[in-house]
Amino acid sequence: RILGQVYDGAAWGNAQVLQTFVDAGAAAPLYRRPFDAAYETLTSSAIVVFSNGDNNDTTTTAWASWTGTEWLLNGDMPAATNTNLSYTYWVELEGNPKAGSQEIFAVTGDASSEMYGLRWTGSVWSNSTNLTNGTILPNNTENGTAYSTYDVAFSSLTSTFYIYVAAADIFNTAYWTGAVFAARTAVMVVTPPL
């Protein structure tokens, strides 16, 4: 199970089961980190994205939100997070730290080493993009089934959202242009130890 709880500064409470995995195959994501949370800077509402335990369609993640008083289980993501019918194994969320922002980005990695990016505008999920499409990033991450090979961050100077990933033996960077996800040039070649 994936369980959400809220810490109020003194104690944990408001426990809510966000997802229950019913069979051994669907439990495979639990051996990774199939969830993450981030806060909207403006409202302090929390958004949680997690594996829905499904690999039968193009939506393999679900989401919930904490409004400050209650959990809202919002169901499956409204945009594709998968095209190859694979379980979501890795989830990274990052909220834009810019004052007044409600923007949050979600990047997911699946059992086929594919990655997807989505943008939360404060009211809807949008811009679902296959990041490992051979154009933005190479076709697969490095051993994404066993390890999380990427991380995400905002630039504190420009509020630009960046994705850093090991793919095709190269450390790659993608970013949000303000309208779409785009490629950056490779940062460095990853040389295996001898």
Side-chain angles (χ1 to χ4, degrees):
R1 296 189 303 175
I2 297 176
L3 180 72
Q5 287 189 324
V6 178
Y7 186 71
D8 66 5
W12 288 97
N14 302 96
Q16 173 69 52
V17 174
L18 303 177
Q19 181 64 43
T20 300
F21 297 92
V22 295
D23 63 45
L30 293 179
Y31 301 111
R32 282 72 174 187
R33 206 209 55 225
F35 62 89
D36 201 9
Y39 285 92
E40 293 178 347
T41 302
L42 177 65
T43 66
S44 295
S45 292
I47 302 291
V48 183
V49 174
F50 48 91
S51 171
N52 66 5
D54 190 5
N55 69 342
N56 294 317
D57 61 30
T58 60
T59 304
T60 59
T61 53
W63 69 294
S65 52
W66 172 253
T67 66
T69 58
E70 66 179 333
W71 283 104
L72 299 177
L73 300 178
N74 301 304
D76 288 343
M77 295 290 273
T81 53
N82 195 303
T83 55
N84 51 28
L85 304 179
S86 295
Y87 293 112
T88 295
Y89 280 177
W90 311 104
V91 177
E92 292 277 349
L93 264 65
E94 191 76 22
N96 190 334
K98 184 177 179 180
S101 177
Q102 290 180 275
E103 188 175 56
I104 294 175
F105 285 89
V107 177
T108 63
D110 69 24
S112 297
S113 296
E114 293 284 338
M115 292 175 58
Y116 274 80
L118 294 102
R119 177 176 169 258
W120 172 251
T121 66
S123 59
V124 298
W125 287 102
S126 63
N127 306 95
S128 173
T129 304
N130 180 344
L131 298 170
T132 47
N133 61 9
T135 302
I136 298 172
L137 292 169
N139 287 325
N140 292 304
T141 62
E142 298 289 331
N143 201 9
T145 59
Y147 307 102
S148 175
T149 59
Y150 68 95
D151 204 356
V152 299
F154 272 93
S155 164
S156 60
L157 188 62
T158 64
S159 291
T160 302
F161 176 73
Y162 290 97
I163 304 161
Y164 305 96
V165 62
D169 293 328
I170 298 173
F171 184 72
N172 295 270
T173 307
Y175 73 109
W176 176 252
T177 67
V180 296
F181 289 100
R184 290 291 236 189
T185 57
V187 178
M188 64 185 212
V189 175
V190 177
T191 305
L194 298 174

mmCIF file of all heavy atoms in Angstrom, residues 114-155:
data_model
loop_
_atom_site.group_PDB
_atom_site.id
_atom_site.type_symbol
_atom_site.label_atom_id
_atom_site.label_comp_id
_atom_site.label_asym_id
_atom_site.label_seq_id
_atom_site.Cartn_x
_atom_site.Cartn_y
_atom_site.Cartn_z
ATOM 1 N N GLU A 114 11.479 3.898 -19.810
ATOM 2 C CA GLU A 114 10.972 5.101 -20.471
ATOM 3 C C GLU A 114 10.638 6.147 -19.409
ATOM 4 O O GLU A 114 10.313 5.811 -18.274
ATOM 5 C CB GLU A 114 9.712 4.790 -21.287
ATOM 6 C CG GLU A 114 9.943 3.900 -22.481
ATOM 7 C CD GLU A 114 10.596 4.619 -23.649
ATOM 8 O OE1 GLU A 114 10.507 5.860 -23.739
ATOM 9 O OE2 GLU A 114 11.207 3.925 -24.478
ATOM 10 N N MET A 115 10.677 7.435 -19.791
ATOM 11 C CA MET A 115 10.367 8.524 -18.878
ATOM 12 C C MET A 115 9.315 9.448 -19.483
ATOM 13 O O MET A 115 9.329 9.700 -20.688
ATOM 14 C CB MET A 115 11.619 9.351 -18.591
ATOM 15 C CG MET A 115 12.669 8.635 -17.792
ATOM 16 S SD MET A 115 14.166 9.625 -17.624
ATOM 17 C CE MET A 115 13.540 11.104 -16.848
ATOM 18 N N TYR A 116 8.435 9.943 -18.614
ATOM 19 C CA TYR A 116 7.411 10.898 -19.021
ATOM 20 C C TYR A 116 7.469 12.123 -18.135
ATOM 21 O O TYR A 116 7.773 12.029 -16.945
ATOM 22 C CB TYR A 116 6.008 10.291 -18.913
ATOM 23 C CG TYR A 116 5.616 9.540 -20.148
ATOM 24 C CD1 TYR A 116 6.074 8.252 -20.347
ATOM 25 C CD2 TYR A 116 4.844 10.132 -21.125
ATOM 26 C CE1 TYR A 116 5.746 7.563 -21.499
ATOM 27 C CE2 TYR A 116 4.511 9.457 -22.277
ATOM 28 C CZ TYR A 116 4.964 8.171 -22.466
ATOM 29 O OH TYR A 116 4.654 7.503 -23.604
ATOM 30 N N GLY A 117 7.148 13.272 -18.698
ATOM 31 C CA GLY A 117 7.048 14.508 -17.944
ATOM 32 C C GLY A 117 5.658 15.092 -18.085
ATOM 33 O O GLY A 117 5.062 15.014 -19.161
ATOM 34 N N LEU A 118 5.140 15.641 -16.984
ATOM 35 C CA LEU A 118 3.849 16.325 -16.977
ATOM 36 C C LEU A 118 3.959 17.588 -16.146
ATOM 37 O O LEU A 118 4.790 17.676 -15.243
ATOM 38 C CB LEU A 118 2.747 15.450 -16.373
ATOM 39 C CG LEU A 118 2.367 14.205 -17.131
ATOM 40 C CD1 LEU A 118 2.995 12.994 -16.491
ATOM 41 C CD2 LEU A 118 0.875 14.058 -17.161
ATOM 42 N N ARG A 119 3.093 18.527 -16.421
ATOM 43 C CA ARG A 119 3.096 19.814 -15.719
ATOM 44 C C ARG A 119 1.738 20.054 -15.070
ATOM 45 O O ARG A 119 0.700 19.960 -15.728
ATOM 46 C CB ARG A 119 3.399 20.924 -16.723
ATOM 47 C CG ARG A 119 3.357 22.304 -16.154
ATOM 48 C CD ARG A 119 3.774 23.314 -17.239
ATOM 49 N NE ARG A 119 3.502 24.653 -16.811
ATOM 50 C CZ ARG A 119 2.461 25.383 -17.206
ATOM 51 N NH1 ARG A 119 1.585 24.890 -18.065
ATOM 52 N NH2 ARG A 119 2.289 26.607 -16.754
ATOM 53 N N TRP A 120 1.751 20.360 -13.766
ATOM 54 C CA TRP A 120 0.555 20.751 -13.033
ATOM 55 C C TRP A 120 0.493 22.270 -13.054
ATOM 56 O O TRP A 120 1.432 22.960 -12.622
ATOM 57 C CB TRP A 120 0.620 20.225 -11.603
ATOM 58 C CG TRP A 120 -0.452 20.719 -10.692
ATOM 59 C CD1 TRP A 120 -0.293 21.611 -9.658
ATOM 60 C CD2 TRP A 120 -1.825 20.366 -10.705
ATOM 61 N NE1 TRP A 120 -1.500 21.823 -9.037
ATOM 62 C CE2 TRP A 120 -2.472 21.068 -9.672
ATOM 63 C CE3 TRP A 120 -2.597 19.521 -11.510
ATOM 64 C CZ2 TRP A 120 -3.833 20.961 -9.403
ATOM 65 C CZ3 TRP A 120 -3.946 19.406 -11.245
ATOM 66 C CH2 TRP A 120 -4.547 20.114 -10.205
ATOM 67 N N THR A 121 -0.603 22.825 -13.547
ATOM 68 C CA THR A 121 -0.725 24.279 -13.680
ATOM 69 C C THR A 121 -1.322 24.944 -12.453
ATOM 70 O O THR A 121 -1.377 26.164 -12.374
ATOM 71 C CB THR A 121 -1.622 24.632 -14.879
ATOM 72 O OG1 THR A 121 -2.955 24.175 -14.592
ATOM 73 C CG2 THR A 121 -1.123 24.012 -16.171
ATOM 74 N N GLY A 122 -1.797 24.133 -11.515
ATOM 75 C CA GLY A 122 -2.528 24.647 -10.370
ATOM 76 C C GLY A 122 -3.980 24.240 -10.441
ATOM 77 O O GLY A 122 -4.698 24.300 -9.453
ATOM 78 N N SER A 123 -4.393 23.800 -11.656
ATOM 79 C CA SER A 123 -5.773 23.335 -11.819
ATOM 80 C C SER A 123 -5.885 22.093 -12.696
ATOM 81 O O SER A 123 -6.841 21.335 -12.560
ATOM 82 C CB SER A 123 -6.656 24.450 -12.388
ATOM 83 O OG SER A 123 -6.160 24.892 -13.639
ATOM 84 N N VAL A 124 -4.940 21.878 -13.610
ATOM 85 C CA VAL A 124 -4.983 20.708 -14.496
ATOM 86 C C VAL A 124 -3.572 20.187 -14.759
ATOM 87 O O VAL A 124 -2.593 20.932 -14.683
ATOM 88 C CB VAL A 124 -5.661 21.014 -15.855
ATOM 89 C CG1 VAL A 124 -7.102 21.418 -15.688
ATOM 90 C CG2 VAL A 124 -4.884 22.077 -16.625
ATOM 91 N N TRP A 125 -3.489 18.882 -15.078
ATOM 92 C CA TRP A 125 -2.243 18.299 -15.576
ATOM 93 C C TRP A 125 -2.207 18.516 -17.084
ATOM 94 O O TRP A 125 -3.205 18.318 -17.776
ATOM 95 C CB TRP A 125 -2.179 16.808 -15.275
ATOM 96 C CG TRP A 125 -1.938 16.518 -13.837
ATOM 97 C CD1 TRP A 125 -2.861 16.124 -12.911
ATOM 98 C CD2 TRP A 125 -0.685 16.604 -13.151
ATOM 99 N NE1 TRP A 125 -2.262 15.958 -11.683
ATOM 100 C CE2 TRP A 125 -0.916 16.246 -11.804
ATOM 101 C CE3 TRP A 125 0.602 16.948 -13.535
ATOM 102 C CZ2 TRP A 125 0.089 16.224 -10.851
ATOM 103 C CZ3 TRP A 125 1.613 16.924 -12.579
ATOM 104 C CH2 TRP A 125 1.356 16.564 -11.263
ATOM 105 N N SER A 126 -1.055 18.920 -17.595
ATOM 106 C CA SER A 126 -0.940 19.189 -19.028
ATOM 107 C C SER A 126 0.443 18.812 -19.519
ATOM 108 O O SER A 126 1.317 18.429 -18.744
ATOM 109 C CB SER A 126 -1.212 20.671 -19.316
ATOM 110 O OG SER A 126 -0.230 21.476 -18.681
ATOM 111 N N ASN A 127 0.632 18.950 -20.818
ATOM 112 C CA ASN A 127 1.930 18.773 -21.461
ATOM 113 C C ASN A 127 2.548 17.395 -21.238
ATOM 114 O O ASN A 127 3.764 17.276 -21.086
ATOM 115 C CB ASN A 127 2.907 19.865 -21.019
ATOM 116 C CG ASN A 127 2.346 21.244 -21.236
ATOM 117 O OD1 ASN A 127 1.773 21.835 -20.322
ATOM 118 N ND2 ASN A 127 2.458 21.749 -22.450
ATOM 119 N N SER A 128 1.734 16.334 -21.228
ATOM 120 C CA SER A 128 2.265 14.981 -21.106
ATOM 121 C C SER A 128 3.215 14.713 -22.270
ATOM 122 O O SER A 128 2.838 14.852 -23.433
ATOM 123 C CB SER A 128 1.121 13.962 -21.115
ATOM 124 O OG SER A 128 1.626 12.656 -21.148
ATOM 125 N N THR A 129 4.449 14.349 -21.935
ATOM 126 C CA THR A 129 5.476 14.188 -22.961
ATOM 127 C C THR A 129 6.325 12.964 -22.675
ATOM 128 O O THR A 129 6.804 12.782 -21.559
ATOM 129 C CB THR A 129 6.400 15.429 -22.982
ATOM 130 O OG1 THR A 129 5.602 16.598 -23.169
ATOM 131 C CG2 THR A 129 7.439 15.330 -24.081
ATOM 132 N N ASN A 130 6.523 12.133 -23.696
ATOM 133 C CA ASN A 130 7.493 11.045 -23.599
ATOM 134 C C ASN A 130 8.870 11.682 -23.737
ATOM 135 O O ASN A 130 9.250 12.146 -24.808
ATOM 136 C CB ASN A 130 7.254 10.011 -24.704
ATOM 137 C CG ASN A 130 8.247 8.869 -24.649
ATOM 138 O OD1 ASN A 130 9.286 8.963 -23.995
ATOM 139 N ND2 ASN A 130 7.943 7.792 -25.332
ATOM 140 N N LEU A 131 9.613 11.726 -22.634
ATOM 141 C CA LEU A 131 10.926 12.387 -22.636
ATOM 142 C C LEU A 131 11.998 11.530 -23.308
ATOM 143 O O LEU A 131 12.948 12.052 -23.880
ATOM 144 C CB LEU A 131 11.341 12.704 -21.200
ATOM 145 C CG LEU A 131 10.408 13.659 -20.457
ATOM 146 C CD1 LEU A 131 10.778 13.713 -18.985
ATOM 147 C CD2 LEU A 131 10.433 15.039 -21.077
ATOM 148 N N THR A 132 11.863 10.208 -23.203
ATOM 149 C CA THR A 132 12.848 9.295 -23.803
ATOM 150 C C THR A 132 12.366 8.862 -25.185
ATOM 151 O O THR A 132 12.237 7.692 -25.490
ATOM 152 C CB THR A 132 13.069 8.076 -22.895
ATOM 153 O OG1 THR A 132 11.795 7.573 -22.479
ATOM 154 C CG2 THR A 132 13.893 8.427 -21.673
ATOM 155 N N ASN A 133 12.132 9.855 -26.022
ATOM 156 C CA ASN A 133 11.589 9.606 -27.358
ATOM 157 C C ASN A 133 12.654 9.628 -28.443
ATOM 158 O O ASN A 133 12.343 9.556 -29.627
ATOM 159 C CB ASN A 133 10.499 10.626 -27.677
ATOM 160 C CG ASN A 133 11.015 12.053 -27.670
ATOM 161 O OD1 ASN A 133 12.220 12.286 -27.590
ATOM 162 N ND2 ASN A 133 10.103 13.008 -27.745
ATOM 163 N N GLY A 134 13.923 9.745 -28.061
ATOM 164 C CA GLY A 134 14.996 9.794 -29.043
ATOM 165 C C GLY A 134 15.290 11.199 -29.528
ATOM 166 O O GLY A 134 16.292 11.431 -30.191
ATOM 167 N N THR A 135 14.429 12.164 -29.209
ATOM 168 C CA THR A 135 14.645 13.554 -29.614
ATOM 169 C C THR A 135 14.998 14.410 -28.400
ATOM 170 O O THR A 135 16.032 15.073 -28.381
ATOM 171 C CB THR A 135 13.381 14.121 -30.296
ATOM 172 O OG1 THR A 135 13.071 13.310 -31.425
ATOM 173 C CG2 THR A 135 13.609 15.551 -30.748
ATOM 174 N N ILE A 136 14.143 14.377 -27.375
ATOM 175 C CA ILE A 136 14.428 15.147 -26.160
ATOM 176 C C ILE A 136 15.541 14.463 -25.377
ATOM 177 O O ILE A 136 16.515 15.088 -24.987
ATOM 178 C CB ILE A 136 13.159 15.297 -25.301
ATOM 179 C CG1 ILE A 136 12.082 16.063 -26.083
ATOM 180 C CG2 ILE A 136 13.483 16.021 -23.999
ATOM 181 C CD1 ILE A 136 10.736 16.101 -25.394
ATOM 182 N N LEU A 137 15.381 13.173 -25.151
ATOM 183 C CA LEU A 137 16.396 12.345 -24.491
ATOM 184 C C LEU A 137 16.541 11.048 -25.292
ATOM 185 O O LEU A 137 15.631 10.686 -26.049
ATOM 186 C CB LEU A 137 15.974 12.009 -23.056
ATOM 187 C CG LEU A 137 15.942 13.168 -22.059
ATOM 188 C CD1 LEU A 137 15.255 12.730 -20.768
ATOM 189 C CD2 LEU A 137 17.347 13.681 -21.770
ATOM 190 N N PRO A 138 17.652 10.322 -25.132
ATOM 191 C CA PRO A 138 17.780 9.032 -25.825
ATOM 192 C C PRO A 138 16.628 8.100 -25.478
ATOM 193 O O PRO A 138 15.898 8.313 -24.515
ATOM 194 C CB PRO A 138 19.114 8.492 -25.298
ATOM 195 C CG PRO A 138 19.886 9.713 -24.930
ATOM 196 C CD PRO A 138 18.855 10.667 -24.396
ATOM 197 N N ASN A 139 16.481 7.025 -26.253
ATOM 198 C CA ASN A 139 15.311 6.159 -26.164
ATOM 199 C C ASN A 139 15.096 5.461 -24.832
ATOM 200 O O ASN A 139 13.976 5.088 -24.530
ATOM 201 C CB ASN A 139 15.339 5.124 -27.279
ATOM 202 C CG ASN A 139 15.026 5.754 -28.617
ATOM 203 O OD1 ASN A 139 14.225 6.670 -28.699
ATOM 204 N ND2 ASN A 139 15.680 5.290 -29.659
ATOM 205 N N ASN A 140 16.092 5.245 -24.032
ATOM 206 C CA ASN A 140 15.918 4.589 -22.733
ATOM 207 C C ASN A 140 16.900 5.156 -21.728
ATOM 208 O O ASN A 140 17.991 5.585 -22.092
ATOM 209 C CB ASN A 140 16.175 3.073 -22.836
ATOM 210 C CG ASN A 140 15.119 2.368 -23.640
ATOM 211 O OD1 ASN A 140 13.943 2.463 -23.319
ATOM 212 N ND2 ASN A 140 15.536 1.686 -24.685
ATOM 213 N N THR A 141 16.517 5.098 -20.451
ATOM 214 C CA THR A 141 17.445 5.478 -19.393
ATOM 215 C C THR A 141 18.391 4.315 -19.127
ATOM 216 O O THR A 141 18.161 3.199 -19.577
ATOM 217 C CB THR A 141 16.689 5.826 -18.095
ATOM 218 O OG1 THR A 141 15.978 4.677 -17.651
ATOM 219 C CG2 THR A 141 15.731 6.978 -18.313
ATOM 220 N N GLU A 142 19.446 4.562 -18.392
ATOM 221 C CA GLU A 142 20.384 3.507 -18.028
ATOM 222 C C GLU A 142 19.800 2.658 -16.916
ATOM 223 O O GLU A 142 19.605 3.137 -15.804
ATOM 224 C CB GLU A 142 21.714 4.112 -17.547
ATOM 225 C CG GLU A 142 22.443 4.931 -18.586
ATOM 226 C CD GLU A 142 23.041 4.099 -19.685
ATOM 227 O OE1 GLU A 142 23.387 2.928 -19.450
ATOM 228 O OE2 GLU A 142 23.158 4.623 -20.808
ATOM 229 N N ASN A 143 19.481 1.406 -17.191
ATOM 230 C CA ASN A 143 19.026 0.438 -16.188
ATOM 231 C C ASN A 143 17.903 0.998 -15.311
ATOM 232 O O ASN A 143 17.909 0.853 -14.102
ATOM 233 C CB ASN A 143 20.206 -0.023 -15.331
ATOM 234 C CG ASN A 143 19.928 -1.341 -14.660
ATOM 235 O OD1 ASN A 143 18.941 -2.012 -14.944
ATOM 236 N ND2 ASN A 143 20.790 -1.728 -13.752
ATOM 237 N N GLY A 144 16.931 1.635 -15.951
ATOM 238 C CA GLY A 144 15.835 2.266 -15.234
ATOM 239 C C GLY A 144 14.893 1.305 -14.541
ATOM 240 O O GLY A 144 14.061 1.721 -13.748
ATOM 241 N N THR A 145 15.028 0.012 -14.832
ATOM 242 C CA THR A 145 14.177 -0.954 -14.141
ATOM 243 C C THR A 145 14.673 -1.231 -12.732
ATOM 244 O O THR A 145 13.885 -1.564 -11.851
ATOM 245 C CB THR A 145 14.089 -2.286 -14.914
ATOM 246 O OG1 THR A 145 15.399 -2.825 -15.053
ATOM 247 C CG2 THR A 145 13.465 -2.063 -16.284
ATOM 248 N N ALA A 146 15.963 -1.100 -12.508
ATOM 249 C CA ALA A 146 16.536 -1.414 -11.196
ATOM 250 C C ALA A 146 16.857 -0.169 -10.370
ATOM 251 O O ALA A 146 16.855 -0.232 -9.146
ATOM 252 C CB ALA A 146 17.796 -2.251 -11.363
ATOM 253 N N TYR A 147 17.154 0.933 -11.037
ATOM 254 C CA TYR A 147 17.606 2.132 -10.327
ATOM 255 C C TYR A 147 16.918 3.366 -10.884
ATOM 256 O O TYR A 147 16.613 3.450 -12.063
ATOM 257 C CB TYR A 147 19.119 2.318 -10.479
ATOM 258 C CG TYR A 147 19.912 1.112 -10.096
ATOM 259 C CD1 TYR A 147 20.430 0.267 -11.068
ATOM 260 C CD2 TYR A 147 20.130 0.806 -8.764
ATOM 261 C CE1 TYR A 147 21.156 -0.851 -10.716
ATOM 262 C CE2 TYR A 147 20.847 -0.320 -8.403
ATOM 263 C CZ TYR A 147 21.361 -1.148 -9.387
ATOM 264 O OH TYR A 147 22.064 -2.256 -9.032
ATOM 265 N N SER A 148 16.742 4.352 -10.023
ATOM 266 C CA SER A 148 16.299 5.656 -10.490
ATOM 267 C C SER A 148 17.522 6.361 -11.031
ATOM 268 O O SER A 148 18.459 6.655 -10.285
ATOM 269 C CB SER A 148 15.687 6.463 -9.341
ATOM 270 O OG SER A 148 15.371 7.757 -9.789
ATOM 271 N N THR A 149 17.533 6.617 -12.313
ATOM 272 C CA THR A 149 18.723 7.186 -12.946
ATOM 273 C C THR A 149 18.510 8.642 -13.357
ATOM 274 O O THR A 149 19.166 9.134 -14.250
ATOM 275 C CB THR A 149 19.112 6.359 -14.176
ATOM 276 O OG1 THR A 149 18.007 6.361 -15.091
ATOM 277 C CG2 THR A 149 19.463 4.938 -13.805
ATOM 278 N N TYR A 150 17.579 9.297 -12.688
ATOM 279 C CA TYR A 150 17.328 10.695 -13.013
ATOM 280 C C TYR A 150 16.980 11.478 -11.750
ATOM 281 O O TYR A 150 16.634 10.913 -10.722
ATOM 282 C CB TYR A 150 16.220 10.832 -14.055
ATOM 283 C CG TYR A 150 14.840 10.436 -13.564
ATOM 284 C CD1 TYR A 150 13.960 11.394 -13.071
ATOM 285 C CD2 TYR A 150 14.405 9.113 -13.588
ATOM 286 C CE1 TYR A 150 12.699 11.051 -12.622
ATOM 287 C CE2 TYR A 150 13.135 8.757 -13.144
ATOM 288 C CZ TYR A 150 12.293 9.727 -12.659
ATOM 289 O OH TYR A 150 11.047 9.389 -12.223
ATOM 290 N N ASP A 151 17.069 12.796 -11.868
ATOM 291 C CA ASP A 151 16.642 13.688 -10.803
ATOM 292 C C ASP A 151 16.101 14.953 -11.454
ATOM 293 O O ASP A 151 16.335 15.199 -12.651
ATOM 294 C CB ASP A 151 17.800 14.007 -9.859
ATOM 295 C CG ASP A 151 17.320 14.426 -8.470
ATOM 296 O OD1 ASP A 151 16.094 14.535 -8.258
ATOM 297 O OD2 ASP A 151 18.164 14.657 -7.598
ATOM 298 N N VAL A 152 15.397 15.750 -10.676
ATOM 299 C CA VAL A 152 14.777 16.964 -11.188
ATOM 300 C C VAL A 152 15.069 18.118 -10.239
ATOM 301 O O VAL A 152 15.300 17.910 -9.048
ATOM 302 C CB VAL A 152 13.253 16.787 -11.355
ATOM 303 C CG1 VAL A 152 12.936 15.680 -12.350
ATOM 304 C CG2 VAL A 152 12.568 16.507 -10.026
ATOM 305 N N ALA A 153 15.065 19.341 -10.778
ATOM 306 C CA ALA A 153 15.301 20.518 -9.938
ATOM 307 C C ALA A 153 14.892 21.777 -10.689
ATOM 308 O O ALA A 153 14.870 21.795 -11.924
ATOM 309 C CB ALA A 153 16.772 20.617 -9.550
ATOM 310 N N PHE A 154 14.565 22.820 -9.929
ATOM 311 C CA PHE A 154 14.333 24.143 -10.488
ATOM 312 C C PHE A 154 15.585 24.980 -10.284
ATOM 313 O O PHE A 154 16.257 24.875 -9.255
ATOM 314 C CB PHE A 154 13.170 24.837 -9.778
ATOM 315 C CG PHE A 154 11.832 24.541 -10.358
ATOM 316 C CD1 PHE A 154 11.065 23.508 -9.859
ATOM 317 C CD2 PHE A 154 11.342 25.295 -11.407
ATOM 318 C CE1 PHE A 154 9.822 23.237 -10.397
ATOM 319 C CE2 PHE A 154 10.094 25.033 -11.951
ATOM 320 C CZ PHE A 154 9.336 23.995 -11.445
ATOM 321 N N SER A 155 15.883 25.849 -11.234
ATOM 322 C CA SER A 155 16.924 26.841 -11.064
ATOM 323 C C SER A 155 16.401 27.906 -10.114
ATOM 324 O O SER A 155 15.321 28.460 -10.332
ATOM 325 C CB SER A 155 17.287 27.472 -12.408
ATOM 326 O OG SER A 155 18.010 28.671 -12.199
#
